[in-house]
Amino acid sequence: MVTIADIAREAGVSRATVSLALNGKPGVAPETRRRVLEIAERLNYQPNASAKGLALQKTQTIGVIVPDISSPFYAELVRGVEEEAGKHDYHLILCTTAGKRAREAAYLRLLGERRVDGMILATPRGQEEAIHRFREARFPLAIVDRDIPSADEIIEVVVDNLQGALTAVEYLLDLGYRRIGFINGLPDLQASRDRLRGYQLALRERGIVPDKHWICVGDYQEKGGYRCMQRLLKVKPPLEAVFVASDLMAMGAIRAIRKAGKDVPGDIAVVGFDDIPLSEFFNPPLTTVRQPIARMGAIACRLLLQEIRGETILERKVTLRTELVVRASTPSAEKGGDKQGK
Amino acid sequence: MVTIADIAREAGVSRATVSLALNGKPGVAPETRRRVLEIAERLNYQPNASAKGLALQKTQTIGVIVPDISSPFYAELVRGVEEEAGKHDYHLILCTTAGKRAREAAYLRLLGERRVDGMILATPRGQEEAIHRFREARFPLAIVDRDIPSADEIIEVVVDNLQGALTAVEYLLDLGYRRIGFINGLPDLQASRDRLRGYQLALRERGIVPDKHWICVGDYQEKGGYRCMQRLLKVKPPLEAVFVASDLMAMGAIRAIRKAGKDVPGDIAVVGFDDIPLSEFFNPPLTTVRQPIARMGAIACRLLLQEIRGETILERKVTLRTELVVRASTPSAEKGGDKQGK
DNA sequence: GACCATTTCTAAACCGATTAAATCACATCG
DNA sequence: CGATGTGATTTAATCGGTTTAGAAATGGTC
């Protein structure tokens, strides 16, 4: 592997000069610089990132920790991060934890050893004290899709889950439904708790007291949605609609509904959450609360890089708005109007 | 940040001794080792990976290049790689190219600078000469889901695409269909070419000459499948079935078919390829050719690590078998039997 | 020609580890 | 008692860069 010393020898100058020349620093004669560059090119010189990292105490790398890269939500999130990072010549070390606390802790440690310049964390709960250690060490950290209470210094990018859930359920109410079920994700995510609150709030606003049997806790996966829906189908009198805390679970719910010989949205209307790439193409296309997933990743990354560069950041807490996307898993407005008319 | 020197000072020994103690090397008195370990623990010592990388010429990192992490296929592939890598204490640097040759080249270069211990490449075509450079430099490289001709030394993990396509189309033929269309992916992937050949072979075996209008080239995405199917729906007399080279496209095809007011599998049967996680839950559940995607990633990773460790590898070319998974986008056997009877 | 300022370049220290070779302390043996 | 061996430890070089202080060369001024 060709090093700076090789170039120095070839060019008949010192290593210091080569370094200065290659990095465009002042104090090198134009002719010398030209020659060094030309030789570097010819020898196909590739600066050793480890050496550079050691000397500069900077690795041009950020660590990303997610539960599972094969989940569409996290895949999309990572895509957003990666695109933004790439623009700034930063690399990603990808860590997936499979939801295991132990792996989370191990990766947190490993990324520390790697001396990554910053980290993006998108895992549910856990590692609170690790997070506070980082904060105290003024280590750049961004948290996505999760509220970590009382830590002003930490970058946080979330979506307004309460508002999103509220809007979704209000939409169902406007369509004339009153018996509306809710399939939630695991309650160790702040997002789940907020969506639950939004659901409850919307119903209460209209004077509806949700029965606790209308609510089921899933796992954000397809199967959880399927299982929950099977439970909710037993509710008497039957539910008219369900709000589901993730699109993956909404797909499972729809599968369960059809398996029971019922129609979506004819018998039961379904609203999901996330708007993962496939929701648009699902059958039926999902009415859902869109989160700007990739954008959340990109914003977290951008803020993190600003923090790394030591730029001043006006606001470390970013809350993005959701948007209700109406497709075919809920009846079209006219039909809803009919229903309301009854 | 605490370094080996801090520990040395604290323990009253030299840095060399600390290094030996921490790495479990012989020649350190048990009592000294104990003390060093205890101090390292207490100071929360984290070895600097850059320094280590520089000294050992080894980074415990592999680079992974894929076109797009938010595509279910590649997400699943990366998951397989990551799991395997994690077992061996290896980290992943994730690079996505969005199919752009320029980004591919840039990442190849950057990973070189990172001195990753090896690379896994899962991109269509391109970079042939870069690949050959790596090969000549005896740099560990594994290629997944793509044939790179004439390079025995390079690890390659592929699936038997021809066999898979053949089986799928034969299955449709056995169901009694004769007018079978084909939606392919971009022909710059060897996989696409093999699947096309499998399709043609199966038909020819039964004395059917596929009309060129039965074949459409998509892009492996949902939208491509939709677009292609719209074209294939115009074929007269109408096709009875389509074989689609990816599940994502199959989903698009089904969307188009339903939009045209036809039923799957009643009017047109559909067989996909890949068996991505959602295919099982799609509506209708997809009959498809299963690729062991995560396993391909894991195997590529394992072989790569063996290569890195300098272990002898018996066979660098691994071809995995596919498996036809029958679900509901094709009629059940009885119905097919009827059809054949006509 | 002496003096000074600039420009260009280099020597050497440093980043934080590993490791081969040298040294040291101490026990064993002839 | 001196030679020898052994185990523990240290010294110093090394990996491949960056950076600072200062040397050397150049040119201008009086």
Side-chain angles (χ1 to χ4, degrees):
Chain A
M1 198 91 278
V2 21
T3 73
I4 226 171
D6 299 321
I7 300 179
R9 196 177 323 112
E10 185 86 6
V13 297
S14 72
R15 287 159 46 203
T17 303
V18 175
S19 175
L20 295 175
L22 289 175
N23 291 304
K25 301 256 169 96
V28 181
E31 162 57 15
T32 310
R33 167 159 297 154
R34 217 214 76 258
R35 200 156 29 106
V36 167
L37 257 37
E38 186 260 319
I39 293 172
E41 171 75 13
R42 179 156 51 79
L43 300 184
N44 187 31
Y45 167 70
Q46 297 185 307
N48 183 319
S50 291
K52 227 166 169 153
L54 184 57
L56 296 177
Q57 304 283 34
K58 204 152 168 311
T59 53
Q60 293 285 111
T61 307
I62 63 182
V64 179
I65 305 189
V66 295
D68 176 15
I69 189 66
S70 65
S71 143
F73 180 86
Y74 293 111
E76 188 70 8
L77 188 70
V78 170
R79 187 176 69 79
V81 173
E82 212 262 351
E83 268 175 19
E84 185 67 24
K87 283 185 203 157
H88 303 268
D89 258 313
Y90 262 77
H91 273 190
L92 249 50
I93 290 191
L94 176 70
C95 308
T96 71
T97 64
K100 304 234 174 71
R101 297 284 157 89
R103 279 183 67 174
E104 253 175 75
Y107 269 131
L108 243 26
R109 178 176 187 85
L110 246 45
L111 290 179
E113 298 185 357
R114 281 286 151 101
R115 303 293 193 270
V116 292
D117 296 341
M119 276 176 35
I120 294 183
L121 200 64
T123 58
R125 288 283 184 101
Q127 311 307 138
E128 274 74 10
E129 43 83 42
I131 290 172
H132 281 87
R133 267 212 318 278
F134 282 120
R135 181 179 67 125
E136 276 160 30
R138 321 199 84 253
F139 179 85
L141 184 62
I143 297 186
V144 184
D145 194 39
R146 154 179 177 184
D147 268 329
I148 175 101
S150 72
D152 285 355
E153 300 87 342
I154 295 180
I155 294 165
E156 255 178 63
V157 180
V158 293
V159 113
D160 193 339
N161 286 292
L162 190 135
Q163 176 66 46
L166 196 68
T167 310
V169 177
E170 280 174 349
Y171 175 73
L172 287 170
L173 289 162
D174 288 343
L175 285 174
Y177 299 117
R178 293 187 57 82
R179 304 180 54 78
I180 300 172
F182 178 44
I183 297 179
N184 201 0
L186 292 170
D188 56 353
L189 275 157
Q190 180 65 34
S192 305
R193 296 194 291 275
D194 288 344
R195 288 172 203 177
L196 173 61
R197 278 190 56 214
Y199 164 75
Q200 292 170 326
L201 224 60
L203 291 187
R204 296 238 171 81
E205 266 180 0
R206 307 284 177 109
I208 301 171
V209 181
D211 189 296
K212 74 170 197 284
H213 295 103
W214 294 6
I215 300 175
C216 178
V217 173
D219 57 356
Y220 281 120
Q221 302 301 306
E222 205 271 353
K223 287 196 174 139
Y226 180 79
R227 190 175 42 72
C228 273
M229 195 64 223
Q230 286 189 313
R231 279 246 292 283
L232 295 187
L233 282 166
K234 295 190 188 123
V235 171
K236 296 281 176 263
L239 297 171
E240 303 162 321
V242 275
F243 170 50
V244 189
S246 86
D247 283 353
L248 234 37
M249 287 197 298
M251 294 174 184
I254 291 175
R255 187 161 59 96
I257 295 169
R258 298 186 107 118
K259 182 143 183 253
K262 302 196 168 173
D263 180 54
V264 175
D267 298 308
I268 302 184
V270 176
V271 176
F273 207 107
D274 285 349
D275 197 27
I276 56 176
L278 226 58
S279 300
E280 178 183 359
F281 307 125
F282 195 73
N283 179 17
L286 251 44
T287 293
T288 188
V289 179
R290 171 180 298 164
Q291 298 197 62
I293 310 178
R295 199 142 63 83
M296 289 168 71
I299 289 176
C301 185
R302 184 145 5 131
L303 288 175
L304 187 69
L305 292 177
Q306 288 180 6
E307 177 108 339
I308 289 170
R309 291 202 210 92
E311 297 171 18
T312 49
I313 299 179
L314 295 166
E315 184 50 61
R316 281 163 218 276
K317 310 288 173 198
V318 176
T319 302
L320 298 174
R321 294 191 62 83
T322 58
E323 178 193 357
L324 183 70
V325 182
V326 177
R327 301 206 185 93
S329 64
T330 49
S332 56
E334 301 77 42
K335 198 172 171 186
D338 282 353
K339 185 145 193 152
Q340 198 159 26
K342 288 204 269 203
Chain B
M1 198 89 279
V2 21
T3 72
I4 226 171
D6 299 320
I7 300 179
R9 196 177 323 110
E10 185 87 5
V13 296
S14 74
R15 288 158 46 207
T17 303
V18 174
S19 174
L20 295 176
L22 289 175
N23 290 305
K25 300 258 171 95
V28 182
E31 161 56 17
T32 311
R33 166 160 296 150
R34 219 213 75 257
R35 206 167 26 150
V36 167
L37 256 36
E38 186 261 320
I39 293 172
E41 172 75 13
R42 179 157 51 79
L43 299 184
N44 188 29
Y45 167 69
Q46 297 186 308
N48 183 317
S50 291
K52 227 168 167 151
L54 184 57
L56 296 178
Q57 303 283 37
K58 202 154 168 313
T59 54
Q60 293 285 111
T61 307
I62 62 182
V64 179
I65 305 187
V66 295
D68 175 15
I69 190 66
S70 65
S71 143
F73 179 86
Y74 293 111
E76 188 70 10
L77 188 70
V78 170
R79 187 175 70 79
V81 173
E82 212 261 351
E83 270 176 18
E84 185 66 25
K87 285 185 203 160
H88 304 266
D89 260 313
Y90 261 78
H91 273 189
L92 249 51
I93 291 191
L94 176 71
C95 307
T96 71
T97 64
K100 306 235 174 69
R101 297 284 156 90
R103 280 183 66 176
E104 255 175 74
Y107 269 130
L108 244 25
R109 180 179 185 84
L110 247 43
L111 290 179
E113 298 187 357
R114 281 285 149 103
R115 303 291 195 268
V116 293
D117 296 340
M119 277 177 34
I120 294 183
L121 201 65
T123 57
R125 287 282 183 103
Q127 312 307 141
E128 274 73 10
E129 45 83 39
I131 290 172
H132 280 87
R133 266 212 317 279
F134 282 119
R135 182 178 68 127
E136 276 161 30
R138 321 198 85 251
F139 179 84
L141 184 61
I143 297 184
V144 184
D145 194 38
R146 156 179 176 184
D147 268 328
I148 175 100
S150 72
D152 286 352
E153 300 87 342
I154 294 179
I155 294 167
E156 256 179 65
V157 180
V158 295
V159 113
D160 192 340
N161 286 292
L162 189 136
Q163 175 68 44
L166 195 68
T167 310
V169 177
E170 279 174 350
Y171 175 74
L172 288 170
L173 289 163
D174 287 343
L175 285 173
Y177 299 116
R178 294 187 57 82
R179 302 181 55 79
I180 300 171
F182 177 46
I183 298 179
N184 201 0
L186 293 169
D188 55 355
L189 275 157
Q190 179 64 33
S192 307
R193 295 194 292 276
D194 288 344
R195 289 173 202 176
L196 173 61
R197 277 190 56 215
Y199 164 76
Q200 292 170 324
L201 224 59
L203 292 186
R204 296 239 173 80
E205 265 179 1
R206 307 282 177 110
I208 301 169
V209 181
D211 189 296
K212 75 171 198 283
H213 295 103
W214 294 5
I215 299 175
C216 178
V217 173
D219 57 357
Y220 282 119
Q221 303 300 306
E222 205 271 352
K223 287 196 172 137
Y226 182 78
R227 189 176 41 72
C228 272
M229 195 65 224
Q230 286 190 313
R231 277 246 294 283
L232 295 188
L233 281 165
K234 297 191 188 120
V235 171
K236 296 282 178 242
L239 296 172
E240 302 160 321
V242 274
F243 170 50
V244 189
S246 85
D247 283 353
L248 234 38
M249 287 198 298
M251 293 176 183
I254 291 175
R255 187 161 60 96
I257 294 170
R258 297 185 107 119
K259 182 141 184 256
K262 301 199 171 173
D263 180 55
V264 174
D267 298 310
I268 302 185
V270 175
V271 176
F273 207 108
D274 284 350
D275 197 28
I276 57 175
L278 225 59
S279 301
E280 178 183 358
F281 308 125
F282 196 74
N283 180 14
L286 251 46
T287 293
T288 189
V289 179
R290 172 180 297 164
Q291 297 197 61
I293 310 177
R295 199 141 64 82
M296 287 167 71
I299 289 176
C301 185
R302 184 145 5 132
L303 288 176
L304 187 68
L305 292 178
Q306 289 181 4
E307 176 108 339
I308 288 170
R309 292 201 209 92
E311 296 171 18
T312 49
I313 299 178
L314 294 166
E315 184 51 61
R316 283 162 216 277
K317 311 288 174 198
V318 176
T319 303
L320 297 175
R321 294 191 64 83
T322 58
E323 177 193 359
L324 182 71
V325 181
V326 177
R327 301 205 186 92
S329 65
T330 49
S332 55
E334 301 78 41
K335 198 171 171 185
D338 282 355
K339 184 143 194 154
Q340 199 159 24
K342 289 201 268 205

